[in-house]
Amino acid sequence: MSEMIALNNLSKWFGDLVAVDRISLSVGRGEVLGFLGPNGAGKSTTMKMVAGFLEPSDGSATVCGHDVVKQPVEVKKRIGYLPEGAPTYGDMTAHGFLKFIAEIRGFDGVERDKRIDEVVEKVILGEVMSQPIETLSKGFKRRVGLAQAILHDPDVLILDEPTDGLDPNQKYHVRGLISEMAEGKAIIVSTHILEEVEAVCSRAVIIARGQLLADGTPEDLVARAPNHNAVVVSVASENVRSAAQMAKAMAGVQNVEILNGPDGSARLRVQPKNGSVLVAPLGDALKAANMDIQQLYVERGTLDDVFREITKSSDKKEAAHA
């Protein structure tokens, strides 16, 4: 897997505000990197520096081996960029805009028309091609922006909230398109939709306050969820305390929590220690004690849990140093 994007201590500040703080990472061909962080974390600023729209204050970024500051034209040839909001020329028709972009990219005649037809089919724009962009819905405007980003078949795609404004069917289609393009490109996707990361990304990073806090596959990150691999068991309410004592006495148990359901049901959440597998031993122990098990399952955790935990910890550290 060849390295397509490389960031080395990339930083950006605006006066006293540090928007991006020494981020280092690389993205290889075939990778789809989910770029996650709360509002104001520095995601869009980082992407703008990689795309050449902002100059770094410090550090460096290269795209396909070309430095974004020293070789900006070579970088832009290899990048397709969908910025936040997808700015376009509202008085142009969708066709006129894509024709304009194709010609800027150096295509004309048959090749230009072929590339326009291909992207129109890929993002399903055919029905609005003759309409002024300012009259289009937010979803169609977003798709026009995506079409211009992929028109020249770039090696690197930088997509800032690519499904913003799309309905569920359109989101599904765009996610499929990203997955389809992934094999031959390096793709960075910034999104607030965490399910999107699991759907299309092979890797994800979390940033907050301009700093890189986590980097791994979606599965790696989910494994950091507070309740990952915890066992939840429902028993009769009169047995819950006895079941809790039994669980606490088992090897490999770190913690036992009693959860009271809104319907008056009683459940236990049993946290494993050091990767212990508890579901079968716990189920067997409760059955041996003649306790009726109403429900038994292993919690996976979610990216949402991990995101909140990591960014919340970052906020606490910042407050402690303030």
Side-chain angles (χ1 to χ4, degrees), residues 10-196:
L10 190 67
S11 301
K12 183 66 179 180
W13 51 81
F14 301 94
D16 293 333
L17 173 66
V18 180
V20 177
D21 189 6
R22 295 166 295 171
I23 286 182
S24 294
L25 61 84
S26 62
V27 187
R29 188 183 296 276
E31 278 194 302
V32 181
L33 179 71
F35 212 43
L36 308 177
N39 289 334
K43 303 185 302 297
S44 292
T45 301
T46 301
M47 297 169 87
K48 287 176 181 177
M49 286 191 285
V50 176
F53 281 78
L54 280 177
E55 186 170 329
S57 300
D58 198 11
S60 64
T62 60
V63 173
C64 301
H66 299 283
D67 187 279
V68 298
V69 174
K70 298 175 182 176
Q71 300 166 293
V73 175
E74 293 302 318
V75 168
K76 289 178 174 65
K77 286 179 181 178
R78 291 161 174 81
I79 281 183
Y81 179 40
L82 175 64
E84 188 177 17
T88 54
Y89 295 100
D91 57 341
M92 282 186 170
T93 64
H95 180 270
F97 177 69
L98 292 178
K99 180 181 177 183
F100 168 65
I101 294 297
E103 290 173 349
I104 285 178
R105 290 290 185 182
F107 305 113
D108 58 19
V110 173
E111 182 64 20
R112 175 197 63 205
D113 296 341
K114 175 188 171 188
R115 286 180 178 266
I116 292 172
D117 289 345
E118 286 175 350
V119 296
V120 166
E121 183 177 354
K122 281 182 179 178
V123 303
I124 314 178
L125 275 176
E127 65 183 277
V128 300
M129 287 296 283
S130 61
Q131 291 181 225
I133 293 173
E134 64 187 2
T135 69
L136 301 182
S137 67
K138 184 176 181 180
F140 273 118
K141 287 177 181 175
R142 203 72 185 135
R143 283 192 271 171
V144 171
L146 180 58
Q148 66 78 25
I150 66 175
L151 188 144
H152 56 300
D153 192 23
D155 290 321
V156 171
L157 273 176
I158 299 176
L159 308 176
D160 200 347
E161 301 286 351
T163 61
D164 183 38
L166 304 187
D167 66 34
N169 289 333
Q170 293 166 346
K171 286 180 181 178
Y172 180 82
H173 173 76
V174 169
R175 290 170 187 170
L177 179 59
I178 291 171
S179 297
E180 181 185 312
M181 294 188 295
E183 184 176 349
K185 304 183 187 301
I187 303 177
I188 297 179
V189 178
S190 173
T191 180
H192 285 96
I193 306 171
L194 297 183
E195 68 183 49
E196 197 156 89

Side-chain angles (χ1 to χ4, degrees), residues 34-43 161 189-198 204-215 217-228 300-316:
F35 212 43
L36 308 177
N39 289 334
K43 303 185 302 297
E161 301 286 351
V189 178
S190 173
T191 180
H192 285 96
I193 306 171
L194 297 183
E195 68 183 49
E196 197 156 89
V197 175
E198 295 190 84
V205 297
I206 298 175
I207 71 170
R209 299 184 180 276
Q211 296 181 332
L212 182 64
L213 303 179
D215 184 349
T217 66
E219 294 78 14
D220 291 338
L221 295 182
V222 166
R224 296 173 59 170
N227 295 320
H228 180 69
R300 178 174 178 267
T302 66
L303 270 179
D304 189 64
D305 296 332
V306 178
F307 180 88
R308 285 199 309 271
E309 190 74 15
I310 289 175
T311 55
K312 183 173 64 178
S313 297
S314 171
D315 287 342
K316 287 180 179 177

